[in-house]
Amino acid sequence: MEKIYARTKGLRPDVVSGFCPGCMHSTVIKLIGEVLEEMNQMDNAVAVLGIGCCGLHMEYMSYDNVTAPHGRACAVATGIKRANSKSLVYTYQGDGDFASIGLGESVSAANRGENITVIFINNGIYGMTGGQMAPTTLLGMKASTAPKGRIAEEHGYPMHMCEILNQLTAPYYLERTSCNTPQNVLKTRKAIKKAFQNQLDGKGFSMVEIVTSCPTNWGLDTMKSLDYLNEKMLTEYPLGVIRDNG
Amino acid sequence: MPKVEIRSESCKSCGYCVKFCPKQVLAIGDKVNSKGYEYAAAVKPEACIGCKMCGVVCPDAAIEVYK
């Protein structure tokens, strides 16, 4: 009997992830591990982790990683990539890290067309920090800093990072995917692989934005958070390739 | 015959595998792992077609599939 689906070597064999039940952070890190294993890049990869839930990967992943100061993952990745251009360098950031605190670094790295890959997890809320409102929080969505829900007049509108970066000339590949169904998980895997391949081919800045759920901070159980993701998040953040210069 | 194997200690009882299994092979069982989660189990193992959907969608890499 042949094993047709095995736990990737990108995850340490006996470690249980620190994420909440149903959290798709762990789905994404599993996919990254699978892709690196498939591309035979495990020894060559450097992950630059953002602050927040992303940091829980440190104990969980089996290859090199460094945690950047809050929001500065793209800047740290720039340094690593320029110092050692053969490494496969990717940043793994949530919406608070990439789109709020690190907005300057993120947009600047994209604008320079740095040859790095960004894996951007958009769940519309700060996770570990305490469920505060993020730039990507939907209108009407409750957060600990917006107990009545996000109101446009007070808090502005949700930010669409793929579309914002699409205004720049330099980025090479921008795609938005999700992990809400097995089909979309496989599409996400394909997008991550493509983004890594772009970097190995020296094409420049690639980003995969992955729309996920946060059952704990949304205050929903795993099944209801999946429904919320399907009905609300994916309406605001439609999936698809935003830019592919290849 | 295809077979699913669940690493019970990694399972967090999210139920995604149960939802997406096309043949209703899996269900959340009544046994509890050391972290206190009622882990998923194959209740109709003979119905498994080895499509891997449960493994693909499992966030915690708790499922391995044989064929």
Side-chain angles (χ1 to χ4, degrees), chain A residues 1-7 11 13 16-17 19 21-24 26-27 30 60 180 182 185 213 222-223 226, chain B residues 1 7 9-10 12 14-16 19-20 37 50 52-53 55-61 63-67:
Chain A
M1 196 175 252
E2 187 196 348
K3 200 183 261 191
I4 56 167
Y5 191 84
R7 183 181 166 102
L11 304 175
V16 178
S17 80
F19 295 101
C23 176
M24 292 167 185
S26 27
T27 315
K30 178 184 80 168
Y60 192 39
N180 60 333
V185 172
S213 63
T222 52
M223 288 305 145
L226 211 51
Chain B
M1 201 179 77
R7 298 158 52 105
E9 280 302 306
S10 297
K12 290 182 186 156
C14 70
Y16 291 166
K19 182 179 169 76
F20 289 108
Y37 294 115
K52 305 191 284 191
M53 289 299 136
V56 167
V57 86
C58 175
D60 292 288
I63 301 179
E64 296 192 315
V65 186
Y66 296 83
K67 198 169 186 175

